[in-house]
Amino acid sequence: MKKIKFIDPLFKKTSKIVALSVLVLSIFLIYVMVKYSIPSIQKFGLKFLFSTKWDPVIENFGALPFIYGTIVSSLLALIIAVPLSLGIAIYLSEIAPLWIREPLSFLIELLAAIPSVIYGIWGIFVLAPILRNYVQPFLSKFFGFLPIFSGDYYGVGMMTAGIILSIMIIPTISSVSRDIFLSVPNDQREAAMSLGATQWETIRLSVLKYAKPGVIGAIILGLGRALGETMAVTMVIGNKPEISASLFAPSYTMASVIANEFTEATSDLYISTLIELGLVLFILTFILNMIARLLVWSVSNKLKGMIRE
């Protein structure tokens, strides 16, 4: 008994320290980034976030092209990945026969283990030529009146980066969503089917509706992966610090410019500017996660209210 009484408080304190270490690490990261961003913040102020100039020679820096590239490429990835991921998750959890569920689930999860540089190489040598020779000419010919499909096409650019990112986040969203669907009580499905619902109606009303908070969380996890992805995006996005409405045009992301130019930064202001970009990316990710938490909280409360009624 004495041994047990000694272990329990020790375990409790150890768990508390481990949990608080995450908070301490986050605060330390913010402190370091803010400290080394001060020269850039003092020189450019808020203008840094809204300026489109990026000229290391005269040390005139603006983050807007990189913020734009990061947000647009990530949103494009979500537009492509979310329907595919939910379709995969629904098939694996509700429709697929038992003998194929495990092999398919393993293969999908295996995609998440592939190094990002492999995706980048595949994007350069396989995806970019296909887009340049077939997909983008087709889109330009029939939908060129739309700004997003106008202009010259090179293969590399915002569209290529968005497609690569979508492939990279599909395993995350589909795997988490599948586990959430599997956690829905069978009573929900049986109740719907007993009332004469079809399989699709059962999935839509009993599974998707019940699992909505978790699905939102899975999508945000995928978005977080897309926002911070570096190597694969750097290899296929074209790395041009300009804002263009066309998805064919080369662009840049915050993670890519940091990876590309940090070794070339020779002045203190240049280094400080890149660190400030990292701080902006950190804040953007934090804000998106906060919004996601609020969405999950609000949807969960609505579902609890409906269940009580």
Side-chain angles (χ1 to χ4, degrees):
M1 292 296 294
K2 290 183 179 180
K3 186 177 180 181
I4 294 175
K5 289 181 179 179
F6 170 76
I7 290 175
D8 283 348
L10 178 63
F11 176 74
K12 185 177 179 180
K13 289 180 180 179
T14 304
S15 301
K16 184 177 181 180
I17 292 171
V18 171
L20 290 176
S21 65
V22 177
L23 177 62
V24 172
L25 179 61
S26 299
I27 294 173
F28 180 70
L29 284 172
I30 295 172
Y31 167 76
V32 170
M33 286 189 289
V34 170
K35 177 182 176 182
Y36 289 100
S37 298
I38 288 176
S40 176
I41 295 171
Q42 289 177 339
K43 183 172 179 61
F44 302 110
L46 286 176
K47 186 179 71 172
F48 177 75
L49 300 176
F50 304 102
S51 174
T52 59
K53 299 293 183 182
W54 186 263
D55 192 343
V57 176
I58 61 174
E59 294 192 332
N60 187 8
F61 301 106
L64 189 59
F66 312 114
I67 297 173
Y68 173 82
T70 301
I71 294 175
V72 172
S73 61
S74 299
L75 290 179
L76 180 60
L78 284 185
I79 291 170
I80 298 171
V82 169
L84 294 174
S85 300
L86 293 183
I88 291 169
I90 290 170
Y91 177 74
L92 291 176
S93 62
E94 306 295 326
I95 301 173
L98 292 175
W99 64 270
I100 202 174
R101 287 187 183 184
E102 288 302 320
L104 273 181
S105 299
F106 172 76
L107 289 174
I108 291 168
E109 291 172 359
L110 188 64
L111 290 175
I114 297 175
S116 60
V117 68
I118 303 300
Y119 283 106
I121 292 173
W122 179 82
I124 290 175
F125 292 106
V126 178
L127 181 61
I130 291 174
L131 292 177
R132 182 180 65 244
N133 297 327
Y134 303 103
V135 178
Q136 291 176 344
F138 173 83
L139 293 173
S140 179
K141 180 179 180 180
F142 293 100
F143 303 100
F145 59 91
L146 297 173
I148 60 173
F149 298 131
S150 62
D152 298 327
Y153 35 87
Y154 311 97
V156 296
M158 186 72 78
M159 178 179 287
T160 314
I163 294 173
I164 287 290
L165 283 176
S166 69
I167 296 171
M168 296 180 72
I169 66 177
I170 280 174
T172 301
I173 300 175
S174 61
S175 296
V176 175
S177 298
R178 182 204 62 196
D179 292 340
I180 292 165
F181 294 155
L182 290 174
S183 69
V184 175
N186 280 327
D187 294 344
Q188 298 283 116
R189 300 175 178 86
E190 292 170 358
M193 294 178 71
S194 66
L195 294 172
T198 63
Q199 186 177 34
W200 162 241
E201 289 172 336
T202 301
I203 293 171
R204 181 171 61 87
L205 298 174
S206 300
V207 178
L208 291 178
K209 196 170 185 180
Y210 191 90
K212 189 184 292 184
V215 171
I216 293 173
I219 292 170
I220 297 302
L221 283 175
L223 177 59
R225 170 79 191 273
L227 286 171
E229 180 52 45
T230 305
M231 184 54 66
V233 176
T234 303
M235 297 172 72
V236 300
I237 200 169
N239 301 323
K240 191 175 183 181
E242 292 182 1
I243 296 176
S244 174
S246 176
L247 296 178
F248 300 160
S251 189
Y252 229 149
T253 65
M254 287 185 278
S256 295
V257 70
I258 293 171
N260 266 344
E261 302 192 14
F262 203 90
T263 55
E264 301 174 3
T266 55
S267 68
D268 293 338
L269 181 61
Y270 196 175
I271 295 173
S272 177
T273 301
L274 294 175
I275 295 174
E276 187 179 0
L277 272 177
L279 178 62
V280 173
L281 181 58
F282 182 91
I283 293 172
L284 179 63
T285 306
F286 180 79
I287 291 172
L288 287 172
N289 277 280
M290 287 295 295
I291 294 172
R293 291 292 179 184
L294 290 174
L295 282 172
V296 172
W297 176 78
S298 63
V299 173
S300 298
N301 282 347
K302 288 180 182 178
L303 287 175
K304 288 178 182 177
M306 292 170 63
I307 291 171
R308 287 171 185 170
E309 292 174 2

Tab-separated table of all heavy atoms in Angstrom, residues 275-306:
chain	number	residue	atom	x	y	z
A	275	ILE	N	12.458	35.367	-40.162
A	275	ILE	CA	11.937	34.894	-38.873
A	275	ILE	C	10.548	35.478	-38.618
A	275	ILE	O	9.660	34.800	-38.093
A	275	ILE	CB	12.912	35.244	-37.733
A	275	ILE	CG1	14.222	34.481	-37.920
A	275	ILE	CG2	12.299	34.901	-36.376
A	275	ILE	CD1	15.312	34.859	-36.938
A	276	GLU	N	10.347	36.741	-39.006
A	276	GLU	CA	9.016	37.334	-38.851
A	276	GLU	C	7.991	36.608	-39.724
A	276	GLU	O	6.828	36.442	-39.332
A	276	GLU	CB	9.033	38.814	-39.200
A	276	GLU	CG	7.713	39.496	-38.880
A	276	GLU	CD	7.709	40.983	-39.205
A	276	GLU	OE1	8.738	41.506	-39.682
A	276	GLU	OE2	6.663	41.613	-38.978
A	277	LEU	N	8.405	36.166	-40.911
A	277	LEU	CA	7.508	35.357	-41.742
A	277	LEU	C	7.109	34.072	-41.010
A	277	LEU	O	5.948	33.645	-41.067
A	277	LEU	CB	8.191	35.003	-43.065
A	277	LEU	CG	8.045	35.980	-44.222
A	277	LEU	CD1	8.854	35.497	-45.411
A	277	LEU	CD2	6.589	36.164	-44.621
A	278	GLY	N	8.070	33.455	-40.341
A	278	GLY	CA	7.760	32.269	-39.546
A	278	GLY	C	6.782	32.587	-38.425
A	278	GLY	O	5.879	31.790	-38.121
A	279	LEU	N	6.942	33.756	-37.813
A	279	LEU	CA	6.018	34.180	-36.766
A	279	LEU	C	4.614	34.388	-37.322
A	279	LEU	O	3.620	33.995	-36.698
A	279	LEU	CB	6.533	35.474	-36.129
A	279	LEU	CG	5.673	36.100	-35.025
A	279	LEU	CD1	5.555	35.137	-33.834
A	279	LEU	CD2	6.269	37.435	-34.573
A	280	VAL	N	4.524	34.991	-38.500
A	280	VAL	CA	3.217	35.197	-39.141
A	280	VAL	C	2.558	33.849	-39.439
A	280	VAL	O	1.349	33.667	-39.220
A	280	VAL	CB	3.372	36.023	-40.435
A	280	VAL	CG1	2.053	36.080	-41.193
A	280	VAL	CG2	3.855	37.434	-40.113
A	281	LEU	N	3.343	32.891	-39.936
A	281	LEU	CA	2.811	31.562	-40.224
A	281	LEU	C	2.328	30.881	-38.945
A	281	LEU	O	1.266	30.236	-38.929
A	281	LEU	CB	3.886	30.709	-40.903
A	281	LEU	CG	3.498	29.282	-41.290
A	281	LEU	CD1	2.303	29.273	-42.219
A	281	LEU	CD2	4.682	28.561	-41.931
A	282	PHE	N	3.081	31.042	-37.877
A	282	PHE	CA	2.691	30.464	-36.585
A	282	PHE	C	1.375	31.067	-36.108
A	282	PHE	O	0.462	30.342	-35.673
A	282	PHE	CB	3.794	30.722	-35.553
A	282	PHE	CG	3.529	30.128	-34.199
A	282	PHE	CD1	3.975	28.849	-33.889
A	282	PHE	CD2	2.839	30.834	-33.223
A	282	PHE	CE1	3.739	28.298	-32.651
A	282	PHE	CE2	2.592	30.291	-31.979
A	282	PHE	CZ	3.048	29.017	-31.692
A	283	ILE	N	1.251	32.379	-36.197
A	283	ILE	CA	0.028	33.062	-35.751
A	283	ILE	C	-1.161	32.652	-36.622
A	283	ILE	O	-2.266	32.420	-36.122
A	283	ILE	CB	0.228	34.589	-35.772
A	283	ILE	CG1	1.255	34.998	-34.721
A	283	ILE	CG2	-1.093	35.319	-35.537
A	283	ILE	CD1	1.672	36.457	-34.791
A	284	LEU	N	-0.942	32.578	-37.939
A	284	LEU	CA	-2.011	32.173	-38.852
A	284	LEU	C	-2.511	30.770	-38.518
A	284	LEU	O	-3.731	30.521	-38.468
A	284	LEU	CB	-1.504	32.220	-40.298
A	284	LEU	CG	-2.483	31.803	-41.394
A	284	LEU	CD1	-3.681	32.733	-41.430
A	284	LEU	CD2	-1.797	31.784	-42.754
A	285	THR	N	-1.588	29.857	-38.274
A	285	THR	CA	-1.970	28.492	-37.911
A	285	THR	C	-2.717	28.470	-36.586
A	285	THR	O	-3.710	27.751	-36.419
A	285	THR	CB	-0.719	27.601	-37.820
A	285	THR	OG1	0.020	27.695	-39.042
A	285	THR	CG2	-1.092	26.155	-37.577
A	286	PHE	N	-2.255	29.270	-35.631
A	286	PHE	CA	-2.900	29.337	-34.314
A	286	PHE	C	-4.329	29.856	-34.443
A	286	PHE	O	-5.260	29.304	-33.836
A	286	PHE	CB	-2.078	30.248	-33.401
A	286	PHE	CG	-2.640	30.409	-32.021
A	286	PHE	CD1	-2.454	29.431	-31.059
A	286	PHE	CD2	-3.376	31.538	-31.680
A	286	PHE	CE1	-2.980	29.573	-29.786
A	286	PHE	CE2	-3.902	31.692	-30.415
A	286	PHE	CZ	-3.708	30.702	-29.459
A	287	ILE	N	-4.519	30.908	-35.242
A	287	ILE	CA	-5.857	31.483	-35.427
A	287	ILE	C	-6.795	30.473	-36.076
A	287	ILE	O	-7.950	30.312	-35.650
A	287	ILE	CB	-5.773	32.775	-36.270
A	287	ILE	CG1	-5.078	33.881	-35.480
A	287	ILE	CG2	-7.172	33.230	-36.698
A	287	ILE	CD1	-4.782	35.122	-36.292
A	288	LEU	N	-6.316	29.770	-37.093
A	288	LEU	CA	-7.147	28.771	-37.766
A	288	LEU	C	-7.537	27.644	-36.812
A	288	LEU	O	-8.673	27.158	-36.844
A	288	LEU	CB	-6.420	28.213	-38.983
A	288	LEU	CG	-6.326	29.153	-40.184
A	288	LEU	CD1	-5.417	28.561	-41.244
A	288	LEU	CD2	-7.708	29.408	-40.772
A	289	ASN	N	-6.620	27.230	-35.965
A	289	ASN	CA	-6.942	26.186	-34.992
A	289	ASN	C	-7.943	26.669	-33.957
A	289	ASN	O	-8.817	25.901	-33.521
A	289	ASN	CB	-5.665	25.696	-34.305
A	289	ASN	CG	-4.927	24.647	-35.116
A	289	ASN	OD1	-5.281	23.479	-35.106
A	289	ASN	ND2	-3.907	25.068	-35.836
A	290	MET	N	-7.847	27.934	-33.571
A	290	MET	CA	-8.820	28.499	-32.642
A	290	MET	C	-10.207	28.532	-33.276
A	290	MET	O	-11.212	28.189	-32.635
A	290	MET	CB	-8.391	29.907	-32.224
A	290	MET	CG	-7.208	29.950	-31.276
A	290	MET	SD	-7.583	29.209	-29.671
A	290	MET	CE	-8.827	30.351	-29.069
A	291	ILE	N	-10.264	28.944	-34.546
A	291	ILE	CA	-11.549	28.960	-35.262
A	291	ILE	C	-12.119	27.543	-35.354
A	291	ILE	O	-13.327	27.326	-35.166
A	291	ILE	CB	-11.376	29.563	-36.669
A	291	ILE	CG1	-11.008	31.053	-36.561
A	291	ILE	CG2	-12.639	29.391	-37.498
A	291	ILE	CD1	-10.621	31.686	-37.883
A	292	ALA	N	-11.243	26.577	-35.609
A	292	ALA	CA	-11.690	25.189	-35.701
A	292	ALA	C	-12.264	24.710	-34.373
A	292	ALA	O	-13.298	24.031	-34.332
A	292	ALA	CB	-10.522	24.300	-36.117
A	293	ARG	N	-11.593	25.054	-33.279
A	293	ARG	CA	-12.088	24.665	-31.956
A	293	ARG	C	-13.464	25.263	-31.691
A	293	ARG	O	-14.355	24.604	-31.146
A	293	ARG	CB	-11.101	25.120	-30.880
A	293	ARG	CG	-9.788	24.383	-30.882
A	293	ARG	CD	-9.963	22.940	-30.461
A	293	ARG	NE	-8.712	22.203	-30.475
A	293	ARG	CZ	-8.607	20.914	-30.218
A	293	ARG	NH1	-9.686	20.206	-29.968
A	293	ARG	NH2	-7.440	20.309	-30.256
A	294	LEU	N	-13.644	26.517	-32.074
A	294	LEU	CA	-14.936	27.175	-31.882
A	294	LEU	C	-16.019	26.511	-32.724
A	294	LEU	O	-17.152	26.329	-32.275
A	294	LEU	CB	-14.825	28.661	-32.235
A	294	LEU	CG	-14.001	29.526	-31.269
A	294	LEU	CD1	-13.843	30.935	-31.816
A	294	LEU	CD2	-14.657	29.566	-29.893
A	295	LEU	N	-15.664	26.132	-33.971
A	295	LEU	CA	-16.623	25.447	-34.833
A	295	LEU	C	-17.025	24.099	-34.241
A	295	LEU	O	-18.212	23.759	-34.188
A	295	LEU	CB	-16.025	25.240	-36.230
A	295	LEU	CG	-16.021	26.449	-37.162
A	295	LEU	CD1	-15.219	26.119	-38.416
A	295	LEU	CD2	-17.431	26.844	-37.542
A	296	VAL	N	-16.032	23.329	-33.810
A	296	VAL	CA	-16.317	22.021	-33.217
A	296	VAL	C	-17.172	22.186	-31.964
A	296	VAL	O	-18.131	21.433	-31.737
A	296	VAL	CB	-15.007	21.280	-32.887
A	296	VAL	CG1	-15.285	20.016	-32.085
A	296	VAL	CG2	-14.253	20.932	-34.165
A	297	TRP	N	-16.848	23.185	-31.153
A	297	TRP	CA	-17.605	23.428	-29.915
A	297	TRP	C	-19.051	23.800	-30.221
A	297	TRP	O	-19.988	23.277	-29.592
A	297	TRP	CB	-16.925	24.539	-29.134
A	297	TRP	CG	-17.667	24.951	-27.888
A	297	TRP	CD1	-17.695	24.303	-26.688
A	297	TRP	CD2	-18.496	26.109	-27.744
A	297	TRP	NE1	-18.491	24.982	-25.802
A	297	TRP	CE2	-18.992	26.095	-26.408
A	297	TRP	CE3	-18.855	27.152	-28.588
A	297	TRP	CZ2	-19.835	27.084	-25.927
A	297	TRP	CZ3	-19.691	28.146	-28.104
A	297	TRP	CH2	-20.172	28.107	-26.794
A	298	SER	N	-19.255	24.697	-31.196
A	298	SER	CA	-20.610	25.132	-31.518
A	298	SER	C	-21.436	23.999	-32.117
A	298	SER	O	-22.606	23.801	-31.769
A	298	SER	CB	-20.572	26.318	-32.481
A	298	SER	OG	-19.985	25.945	-33.714
A	299	VAL	N	-20.830	23.219	-33.034
A	299	VAL	CA	-21.542	22.095	-33.646
A	299	VAL	C	-21.858	21.026	-32.606
A	299	VAL	O	-22.954	20.444	-32.593
A	299	VAL	CB	-20.725	21.498	-34.807
A	299	VAL	CG1	-21.377	20.231	-35.333
A	299	VAL	CG2	-20.585	22.516	-35.935
A	300	SER	N	-20.922	20.752	-31.704
A	300	SER	CA	-21.150	19.752	-30.651
A	300	SER	C	-22.303	20.165	-29.754
A	300	SER	O	-23.142	19.333	-29.377
A	300	SER	CB	-19.876	19.567	-29.820
A	300	SER	OG	-18.823	19.100	-30.610
A	301	ASN	N	-22.365	21.445	-29.405
A	301	ASN	CA	-23.451	21.926	-28.556
A	301	ASN	C	-24.800	21.796	-29.252
A	301	ASN	O	-25.807	21.441	-28.630
A	301	ASN	CB	-23.209	23.384	-28.161
A	301	ASN	CG	-22.174	23.506	-27.059
A	301	ASN	OD1	-21.824	22.512	-26.430
A	301	ASN	ND2	-21.683	24.703	-26.829
A	302	LYS	N	-24.833	22.092	-30.562
A	302	LYS	CA	-26.075	21.943	-31.308
A	302	LYS	C	-26.540	20.490	-31.350
A	302	LYS	O	-27.712	20.187	-31.172
A	302	LYS	CB	-25.905	22.471	-32.739
A	302	LYS	CG	-25.803	23.981	-32.836
A	302	LYS	CD	-25.640	24.423	-34.286
A	302	LYS	CE	-25.495	25.940	-34.378
A	302	LYS	NZ	-25.279	26.385	-35.783
A	303	LEU	N	-25.580	19.575	-31.575
A	303	LEU	CA	-25.931	18.158	-31.617
A	303	LEU	C	-26.419	17.661	-30.251
A	303	LEU	O	-27.367	16.881	-30.167
A	303	LEU	CB	-24.715	17.333	-32.069
A	303	LEU	CG	-24.353	17.438	-33.556
A	303	LEU	CD1	-23.062	16.677	-33.827
A	303	LEU	CD2	-25.468	16.881	-34.421
A	304	LYS	N	-25.768	18.130	-29.170
A	304	LYS	CA	-26.214	17.735	-27.832
A	304	LYS	C	-27.623	18.220	-27.560
A	304	LYS	O	-28.438	17.522	-26.975
A	304	LYS	CB	-25.244	18.293	-26.784
A	304	LYS	CG	-23.889	17.593	-26.751
A	304	LYS	CD	-22.978	18.230	-25.730
A	304	LYS	CE	-21.604	17.555	-25.739
A	304	LYS	NZ	-20.665	18.212	-24.794
A	305	GLY	N	-27.891	19.457	-28.031
A	305	GLY	CA	-29.238	19.998	-27.852
A	305	GLY	C	-30.279	19.201	-28.616
A	305	GLY	O	-31.377	18.924	-28.122
A	306	MET	N	-29.917	18.764	-29.848
A	306	MET	CA	-30.851	17.969	-30.658
A	306	MET	C	-31.086	16.605	-30.032
A	306	MET	O	-32.211	16.086	-30.026
A	306	MET	CB	-30.302	17.812	-32.076
A	306	MET	CG	-30.279	19.090	-32.879
A	306	MET	SD	-29.367	18.920	-34.427
A	306	MET	CE	-30.354	17.690	-35.244
